[in-house]
Amino acid sequence: MKTEVRIDKWLWAVRIFKTRSLAAEACKKGKIIIDNIQVKPSRNIKVGDVISVKKNPILFSYEVLALTENRLGAKLIIDYVKDVTTKDQLELYELGKIAAKNNRDRGTGRPTKKERRELDDFLEPMFYLDTEEDD
């Protein structure tokens, strides 16, 4: 069993990032921190390291329990990584999710199901009038 693994491979293997290239890019942009030092994708990690991942505005923290270079199934991840994110960061994350869910201004973005039905009801009579005039 290996004693060290590249951080970009490990972040991808434990499903913190969807692809390895996204993990490497996060490292290059300085979003991955170990011991208050921004790390490069080639940095080797070992069991016991605490890795911080910046996903604005939250700073997630993970402890390395075991090493792997192969992508794991979602159920197996708990044997390899432990989430040690602070409580205040998790609260900030939850508040952000709630705010994003409830903060869409009316009329922006994709219409809701209710808005689409109202729009269909409004437009339907116009189409019927147009077809009658053609006769």
Side-chain angles (χ1 to χ4, degrees), residues 1-132:
M1 187 172 182
K2 291 190 173 195
T3 58
E4 292 184 339
V5 174
R6 285 177 55 117
I7 190 161
D8 60 339
K9 285 185 180 181
W10 188 83
L11 289 169
W12 165 75
V14 295
R15 296 176 176 261
I16 294 173
F17 288 95
K18 196 170 187 175
T19 64
R20 184 172 164 201
S21 61
L22 288 176
E25 186 177 323
C27 291
K28 290 175 187 172
K29 289 183 177 180
K31 295 182 183 255
I32 310 299
I33 301 168
I34 299 176
D35 298 329
N36 294 326
I37 300 171
Q38 295 175 348
V39 297
K40 294 181 180 181
S42 61
R43 164 77 184 262
N44 287 328
I45 60 170
K46 55 188 178 298
V47 175
D49 284 347
V50 176
I51 300 168
S52 298
V53 179
K54 286 187 212 174
K55 291 185 180 179
N56 284 338
I58 295 100
L59 183 67
F60 294 98
S61 298
Y62 303 99
E63 182 180 350
V64 179
L65 300 178
L67 300 175
T68 183
E69 289 184 343
N70 301 324
R71 185 99 163 152
L72 299 170
K75 292 180 182 179
L76 301 175
I77 291 174
I78 58 173
D79 298 331
Y80 291 84
V81 63
K82 179 180 178 185
D83 189 357
V84 291
T85 306
T86 59
K87 194 171 190 175
D88 60 329
Q89 292 293 316
L90 290 175
E91 288 173 2
L92 188 62
Y93 177 66
E94 291 298 323
L95 288 174
K97 283 196 327 189
I98 292 170
K101 184 177 180 182
N102 296 329
N103 229 6
R104 184 178 77 84
D105 291 332
R106 190 167 179 81
T108 61
R110 187 174 175 179
T112 63
K113 193 171 191 177
K114 181 181 177 188
E115 291 169 344
R116 185 189 50 79
R117 286 181 178 157
E118 289 172 353
L119 190 62
D120 286 347
D121 290 341
F122 175 74
L123 292 176
E124 235 176 68
M126 288 185 201
F127 288 120
Y128 289 130
L129 290 175
D130 288 343
T131 56
E132 292 174 3

